[in-house]
Amino acid sequence: MPGRLRAINPLQSPARPYIALGLEGSANKLGAGIIRHGVDGSSTILSNVRHTYITPPGEGFQPRDTSLHHREWVLQVINESLLNACVSILDVDCICYTKGPGMGAPLQSVALVARTLSLLFNKPLVGVNHCIGHIEMGREVTGAKNPVVLYVSGGNTQVIAYSRQCYRIFGETLDIAVGNCLDRFARVINLSNDPSPGYNIEQEAKKGTRLLPLPYTTKGMDVSLSGILTSIEAYTHDKRFRSGGNLIDFEDSDIITPADLCFSLQETVFAMLVEITERAMAHIGSKEVLIVGGVGCNERLQEMMGVMAKERNGQIFATDERFCIDNGIMIAQAGLLSFRMGQLTVVSKSTCTQRFRTDQVHVAWRS
């Protein structure tokens, strides 16, 4: 019986170093990053600058206001990124920008800047799928080879695995994303948006001592989160709820605090995510799981996923907030991989789309 042929890597080592500038602005994070691919196949992060649009407690970020923030800060962020990388815009081989998915107005603001730089300095333009950027940056930083990917952010919740030059979606949210669920509840209990609502929920959850019953809605490989959000909000109208977490008298021990609600929400939602990720690992026989996206830097989620992976004799890969939270370097990484495979975006087609699924991208750089 003939031996199995080894797949040939379509991404060949470059004849010279390549440098890419990546611009990200799909939501309230504005980022610019510069990466270099060396002739030995290595990748070097030269700079990774980010500025966040933060709203007052209890408020979300609107597309128009977020777009204005990006327009105000984009030149400063790009200049700082170039300065930190010790390169000139003339040294850059391609300009990469987030094509989608994301919020329309912020996406357009950053795409306009990328298009302008491309025309001014005669640099090739590369439109990048935001989700692919997260995955490729996660693989590069952690060294994961072929993991099941849990992509969790404010706008996306997907379980993904690679096959035949495509990142295929095994399961996803049927309604709202996990990050959106956490952010909306943070507004209900008036948590600060600085540095992010999800981070503050994580810190508040560490003080929680009571696990309250919530809907556990996994549906095959998919999850539903809108009902959980409705249920957790209902607890804030319960007569036992104390917004300050204080007892009215010594006999009043049956209370519900914001910390208890944050703890219960995290434990329930994260358990659902671990379950569907484990199903995907079992289905494809993988021993690796990679967590990417803004919610991916939550230490409790990483801990729960790590327990599951260990029980399966597997391994978990995750990054810190530099790469989990939306950033420009992930767009530069995915864009430069596309550029090296000849996948360029002509200016006349350098549009944005709010809906751009992960499995719509041809991953030409993987075998």
Side-chain angles (χ1 to χ4, degrees), residues 16-292:
R16 63 174 180 84
Y18 284 113
I19 297 177
L21 167 65
L23 302 177
E24 156 61 23
S26 60
N28 68 325
K29 310 289 191 303
L30 172 66
I34 298 176
I35 196 165
R36 180 177 61 221
H37 287 183
V39 294
D40 59 353
S42 64
S43 298
T44 305
I45 298 170
L46 301 181
S47 66
N48 187 21
V49 180
R50 180 170 56 216
H51 195 276
T52 305
Y53 172 54
I54 298 175
T55 55
E59 296 183 15
F61 49 91
Q62 300 298 321
R64 179 179 179 275
D65 297 332
T66 308
S67 174
L68 292 174
H69 164 269
H70 290 359
R71 294 179 193 178
E72 179 182 354
W73 284 92
V74 66
L75 291 182
Q76 181 174 330
V77 168
I78 292 174
N79 285 332
E80 185 177 346
S81 182
L82 291 169
L83 184 63
N84 292 350
C86 297
V87 299
S88 162
I89 190 68
L90 300 176
D91 301 322
V92 171
D93 292 291
C94 61
I95 309 290
C96 313
Y97 75 98
T98 304
K99 184 178 179 67
M103 302 170 68
L107 281 172
Q108 290 285 2
S109 296
V110 176
L112 174 61
V113 173
R115 198 179 300 127
T116 303
L117 289 174
S118 173
L119 292 171
L120 278 175
F121 298 100
N122 193 30
K123 300 293 182 180
L125 195 62
V126 182
V128 175
N129 180 288
H130 180 87
C131 315
I132 300 296
H134 273 296
I135 296 171
E136 291 303 337
M137 197 69 236
R139 290 180 62 237
E140 177 61 35
V141 171
T142 64
K145 301 301 181 184
N146 190 30
V148 167
V149 179
L150 175 64
Y151 172 36
V152 278
S153 68
N156 299 274
T157 300
Q158 298 174 346
V159 177
I160 302 162
Y162 174 81
S163 176
R164 299 182 180 181
Q165 297 195 312
C166 179
Y167 284 112
R168 304 183 187 275
I169 300 173
F170 275 65
E172 59 190 321
T173 177
L174 298 174
D175 36 53
I176 62 174
V178 59
N180 185 250
C181 178
L182 296 174
D183 291 354
R184 285 166 65 176
F185 182 64
R187 296 201 291 270
V188 170
I189 58 176
N190 209 38
L191 286 181
S192 172
N193 291 321
D194 188 11
S196 70
Y199 174 81
N200 292 323
I201 279 190
E202 179 184 1
Q203 303 313 307
E204 192 73 13
K206 294 176 181 178
K207 309 172 191 174
T209 58
R210 185 174 184 179
L211 182 62
L212 298 162
L214 291 170
Y216 189 93
T217 45
T218 56
K219 302 185 178 184
M221 288 296 299
D222 299 324
V223 295
S224 175
L225 299 170
S226 58
I228 295 176
L229 179 61
T230 301
S231 297
I232 197 79
E233 287 180 358
Y235 277 114
T236 63
H237 301 292
D238 193 293
K239 63 180 181 181
R240 297 169 294 170
F241 179 68
R242 303 287 183 269
S243 59
N246 299 318
L247 301 178
I248 293 179
D249 55 54
F250 291 108
E251 297 180 357
D252 185 21
S253 59
D254 183 21
I255 67 167
I256 299 172
T257 67
D260 292 334
L261 294 181
C262 292
F263 172 70
S264 301
L265 181 62
Q266 275 200 170
E267 293 298 304
T268 304
V269 170
F270 291 170
M272 293 162 53
L273 296 176
V274 170
E275 178 183 332
I276 62 173
T277 304
E278 184 175 15
R279 287 180 180 172
M281 291 178 70
H283 182 75
I284 69 172
S286 174
K287 295 293 185 182
E288 297 180 335
V289 56
L290 170 66
I291 307 177
V292 299

Side-chain angles (χ1 to χ4, degrees), residues 318-357:
T319 63
D320 57 30
E321 59 87 26
R322 293 173 299 167
F323 306 111
C324 267
I325 298 173
D326 293 351
N327 58 84
I329 198 67
M330 70 182 195
I331 302 302
Q333 168 68 2
L336 191 50
L337 290 172
S338 297
F339 171 78
R340 289 172 56 187
M341 296 304 298
Q343 297 176 322
L344 306 180
T345 303
V346 296
V347 173
S348 60
K349 294 186 178 179
S350 58
T351 56
C352 297
T353 174
Q354 291 179 264
R355 286 174 170 78
F356 189 8
R357 287 179 62 83

